[in-house]
Each structure stands twice: as C-alpha cells, then as structure tokens.
C-alpha cells in the first residue's frame, strides 16, 4: 500500500521562522532515502543542508530558488510504502471546521534538467559544498554545464564533468586575432546571501547618518615586530598578519570610547554597550561577503587571535561557518589592503555603530625628528561611525588611540 508523506520545512535554528530556498538536489520522480541531502536553504547568512525524513519517491516539490518559505510549510510530497504515521499523514478537513487552505498549485514548477549555456565571464551558480569540491579538484566552475534551476551546478553535474575528463582549459595567448564586440547580456535574480547583503546595505545606507574619519598610520616598527615574531613562531602557531595587531589595539582603545563598541536600535532609541569586544572580520567568499566573529578578543593573545582569524576565515570561505560564528559582532574590521586603495568608506554593519577599514601599506618618504627624509611604511585606516551615537570628537579620540598603539607596538603587550 502506498501512502503520501508531506515533508514540512523543518526548524533550522532557534528563533528562525522562515528560510530562503537556495537549491533543490532532487526532482519529481527521484527516489529518495532517509537522511539524504535534498535541499539547501539560507537563513541569517548561513547555508543549511536539509535531509530527507523517509524513503520513497518524490511526487511534488513546492518552492523554487529565491522563494521564502515559513517553517512548517509543506515543501515536498513523497510516495512511501506502507502507512504514514498519524501525525505525518495529510490532514483531513472536518466539515464542522473551516477548511485548511490547499497547497498552492501555482508554485514555480521544478524545471526539467537541461544543460544551461553560460556566457564567458558570467559567474557560475553553485552551493558552497559544490564550490569546495571544485576547488579541491582544481576545476573551474565556469566550464561546468549546470542542469539545476537557472543553470545552477549540482553535485551530479560536477561528477559528470570529472568523469568526462574535464579540467581547466588553458587560454592561448599572443596572435593578432580580430576582436569581436561583446554583445552578451545576462539577468540574474538575487537570492540567498547576495540578497541578504543587498537588503542590509540598503537599510544601513538609508537609515544611518554616518561620519568618516581617515588617519595615516606609521607601521614601520609594527612591521619589524611582526616579521621578528613570525621568524620565531612555533610550528603550531599561525603566521601573523596586520589584522591581529589591529584587533588587539581595538581591545585596548575601546574602553576609552565605549559607545563605539555597541549596538543601536534606532526605533526603540536603545543603545547597548558591550564590555567584551566581539570583533567581526569581513571576509570575501565565493558566495559573497560574510562577517565571521572573533568572540571576546580582549581575552586572547596575539597568537590566539591569529589562529581564530584563520579558522573562521577558512570556515566562511568553505561555507562551513556556524550561525553563531557569523553573528554577535560589536565592531567590524574590513580590509582591502591586499588589493590596494588609499581610502575607503565602509558601510556600517548595523546594528553596530563603528567599522574600521584597512587600506594598502606603502613605503613613502617622511621627515624624521632631525629633519632628514627617511623611508617609512605607512597605511591609512578608514573608519566610519554612526553619527547619532559617536560624535566626530569621540571618533577621532578612538582612532588616535589606535594609531598610538600601532605606532608603538610594544604598548600592545603592556
């Protein structure tokens, strides 16, 4: 005897009432097994893999990539052998009670598998797990045909590409071939993390009056210390970059400007100040910008900060960062220094009220105390503050305190 099992969107986290569909890994007619990975959803910047609950055959899917689905909504119908437990069976409508609204039949149908063409230069769509596999196999995702919704590359697509012997294609250089005009136009619906980023940035820009403050930092002595510490580090210690020193400087400077280490609720007019420094580090990942958080940085030494920074960054880029690791920051650091740029104007990571931007380091001539011109290693810090909470004077006091600590790095350890 065959029965129908109606699989509902599960509870994917405390306080989460809805999630966005990112990718289905099954289609109507597929045979599924208990605990099989069938769906990816996005919630609070974390991608969650949804497993199947029973063995059977998929008869209907409700929702397409980009749709927001409430927890408890029926999203997958499965034909199973035998009787379905009473609590999972399709509900019966009591004639004495109002009828339950039926499943909407106008939900976007799951498209039949088809290989989607992808114009040169267009970013391939794929889940974090697929991207990680491709990276490990040294495969350029742009070369892999996608059969998922909107041309999304699935695990099966990657398997087929590997089985066919596909690998990176080297582009031939030189020659005087005629150049053709580029006429391709693509439209891409923002879903998942990119949509969340768009919404958050738009809200911050609309609602927060910010002030920018840029200061030049002489990091010559700090770079000498960093090089010395790295030359003496143990095998179990993470190589030091500039960021751990900036995190340490903030942990020492913020107690003098506590309103900058805070959250502000503009609707309730409530400012929440934090004694602990939970430092968010903006990280570019294959799926967009994420902000993993170093919790209680004030309690960590320089090596512990570096190790935590490396661990969180790797987890975010692999799509493995937990929800708790991507939330709870009280101040954020963003760095484009490795790419370049003299000045940036970073957008606040609301509800925080301060963000510090790191720009490129360069060697420039400067006068010393004796009036001689000497080469110095210099870097600009570009900071932005919520001007409703942090006055310009207080912003300057904080950055000057950070400047003093970084220019005299021994004081970081006193």
């Amino acid at each position: 005897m065959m029965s129908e099992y109606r699989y509902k969107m599960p509870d994917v986290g405390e306080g989460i009432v809805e999630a966005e569909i990112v990718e289905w890994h099954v289609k109507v007619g597929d045979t599924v097994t208990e605990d099989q990975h069938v769906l990816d959803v996005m919630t609070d910047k974390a991608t969650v893999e949804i497993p199947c609950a029973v063995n059977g055959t998929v008869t209907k899917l409700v929702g397409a990539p980009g749709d927001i689905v409430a927890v408890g909504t029926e999203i997958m119908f499965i034909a199973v052998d035998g009787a379905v437990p009473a609590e999972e069976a399709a509900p019966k409508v009591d004639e004495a009670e109002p009828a339950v609204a039926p499943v909407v039949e106008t939900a976007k149908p799951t498209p039949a598998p088809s290989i989607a063409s992808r114009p040169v230069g267009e970013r391939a769509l794929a889940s974090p797990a697929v991207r990680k596999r491709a990276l490990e196999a040294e495969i350029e995702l742009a070369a892999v045909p996608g059969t998922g919704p909107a041309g999304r590359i699935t695990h099966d697509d990657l398997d087929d590409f590997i089985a066919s012997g596909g690998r990176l294609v080297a582009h031939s250089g030189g020659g005087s071939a005629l150049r053709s005009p580029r006429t391709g136009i693509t439209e891409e619906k923002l879903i998942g993390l990119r949509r969340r980023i768009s919404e958050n940035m738009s809200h911050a820009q609309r609602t927060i009056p910010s002030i920018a403050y840029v200061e030049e930092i002489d990091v010559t002595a700090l770079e000498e210390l960093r090089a010395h510490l790295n030359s003496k580090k143990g095998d179990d210690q993470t190589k030091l970059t500039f960021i751990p020193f900036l995190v340490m400087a903030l942990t020492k400077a913020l107690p003098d400007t506590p309103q900058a280490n805070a959250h502000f609720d503009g609707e309730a007019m409530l400012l929440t100040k934090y004694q602990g420094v939970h430092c968010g580090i903006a990280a570019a990942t294959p799926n967009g910008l994420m902000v993993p958080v170093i919790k209680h940085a004030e309690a960590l030494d320089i090596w512990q900060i570096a190790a935590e920074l490396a661990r969180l960054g790797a987890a975010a880029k692999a799509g493995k960062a937990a929800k708790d690791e991507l939330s709870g920051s009280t101040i954020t650091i963003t760095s484009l220094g490795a790419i370049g740029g003299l000045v940036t104007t970073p957008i606040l990571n609301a509800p925080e009220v301060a963000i510090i931007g790191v720009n490129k380091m360069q060697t420039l001539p400067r006068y010393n105390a004796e009036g001689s011109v000497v080469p110095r290693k210099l870097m600009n810090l570009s900071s932005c503050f919520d001007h409703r909470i942090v006055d310009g004077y207080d912003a300057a006091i904080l950055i000057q305190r950070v400047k003093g600590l970084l220019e005299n790095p021994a004081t970081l350890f006193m």
Side-chain angles (χ1 to χ4, degrees):
M1 180 185 72
M2 300 296 292
S3 302
E4 182 180 65
Y5 181 93
R6 298 189 176 188
Y7 185 64
K8 299 178 181 179
M9 174 66 75
D11 183 352
V12 291
E14 184 179 353
I16 302 300
V17 297
E18 63 184 15
E20 178 182 347
I21 293 177
V22 175
E23 178 181 3
W24 282 105
H25 294 288
V26 294
K27 59 184 181 297
V28 173
D30 282 357
T31 299
V32 292
T33 58
E34 186 176 356
D35 293 329
Q36 177 183 339
H37 176 199
V38 295
L39 173 65
D40 288 337
V41 298
M42 173 72 68
T43 172
D44 290 342
K45 294 188 178 182
T47 299
V48 181
E49 297 183 351
I50 303 298
C52 190
V54 295
N55 301 326
T57 302
V58 178
T59 59
K60 183 177 181 180
L61 300 177
V62 178
D67 289 350
I68 305 296
V69 180
V71 172
T73 300
E74 294 172 346
I75 56 172
M76 182 167 59
F77 291 54
I78 304 172
V80 299
D81 251 336
V84 176
E87 64 273 16
E88 301 293 350
K92 296 181 179 180
V93 178
D94 193 317
E95 292 182 357
E97 298 179 358
V100 177
V103 175
V104 178
E105 296 296 338
T106 57
K108 299 177 184 177
T110 302
S114 62
I115 295 178
S117 61
R118 186 179 301 110
V120 175
E122 181 181 339
R123 183 174 182 272
L125 298 177
S127 69
V130 171
R131 291 186 183 281
K132 183 173 184 294
R133 284 189 57 203
L135 181 64
E136 292 173 346
E138 297 183 347
I139 291 173
E140 176 56 61
L141 278 178
V144 182
T147 61
R152 185 176 291 273
I153 299 168
T154 66
H155 284 280
D156 289 340
D157 295 331
L158 199 56
D159 291 338
D160 293 342
F161 187 79
I162 294 173
S164 68
R167 282 296 184 272
L168 289 174
V169 179
H171 297 283
S172 59
S176 57
L178 294 176
R179 296 181 179 179
S180 301
R182 298 172 183 170
T183 58
I185 298 174
T186 61
E187 292 184 350
E188 181 178 328
K189 182 179 179 181
L190 295 188
I191 64 173
L193 178 59
R194 178 49 58 187
R195 179 160 76 178
R196 298 293 177 89
I197 292 173
S198 175
E199 293 170 346
N200 291 343
M201 294 298 100
S202 296
H203 176 76
Q205 195 73 344
R206 284 195 313 268
T207 62
I208 302 175
S210 62
I211 178 176
Y213 185 86
V214 181
E215 177 59 291
E216 182 180 81
I217 312 291
D218 186 332
V219 293
T220 307
L222 188 146
E223 281 298 288
E224 292 174 355
L225 174 61
R226 186 174 73 86
H228 173 72
L229 291 175
N230 280 333
S231 70
K232 301 295 182 181
K233 77 177 185 68
D235 293 338
D236 59 338
Q237 291 177 314
T238 303
K239 184 178 180 180
L240 296 174
T241 64
F242 173 77
I243 298 298
F245 292 94
L246 177 55
V247 172
M248 282 196 73
L250 285 173
T251 65
K252 288 183 171 292
L254 283 169
D256 295 333
T257 316
Q259 67 271 38
N261 189 45
H263 287 178
F264 180 55
D265 183 339
E267 293 185 3
M269 284 293 154
L270 177 65
L271 178 66
T272 305
K273 300 178 184 178
Y274 296 88
Q275 291 185 346
V277 178
H278 310 304
C279 197
I281 308 294
T285 76
N287 292 312
L289 188 68
M290 291 187 176
V291 186
V293 184
I294 301 175
K295 301 291 179 66
H296 284 291
E298 78 282 356
L300 306 178
D301 64 28
I302 193 74
W303 299 107
Q304 291 170 327
I305 292 173
E308 189 68 354
L309 178 63
R311 183 188 71 81
L312 290 169
K317 290 178 181 178
K320 301 291 186 182
K323 176 187 173 184
D324 181 61
E325 294 172 329
L326 297 171
S327 61
S329 56
T330 56
I331 191 169
T332 293
I333 294 173
T334 179
S335 175
L336 296 176
I339 300 173
L342 296 177
V343 175
T344 51
T345 53
I347 297 177
L348 288 162
N349 183 25
E352 296 168 28
V353 299
I355 184 169
I356 312 296
V358 177
N359 300 119
K360 74 175 181 180
M361 185 187 306
Q362 52 188 332
T363 301
L364 295 172
R366 289 294 185 269
Y367 286 102
N368 63 14
E370 289 74 36
S372 301
V373 175
V374 294
R376 304 295 292 179
K377 292 182 179 178
L378 303 169
M379 171 189 291
N380 287 341
L381 288 186
S382 299
S383 55
C384 283
F385 300 87
D386 187 334
H387 212 344
R388 297 171 298 179
I389 302 302
V390 183
D391 295 333
Y393 175 84
D394 294 320
I397 289 294
L398 173 62
I399 298 305
Q400 291 304 322
R401 172 82 166 115
V402 169
K403 173 184 171 76
L405 289 163
L406 294 177
E407 291 187 341
N408 301 278
T411 58
L412 291 170
F413 304 93
M414 294 173 62

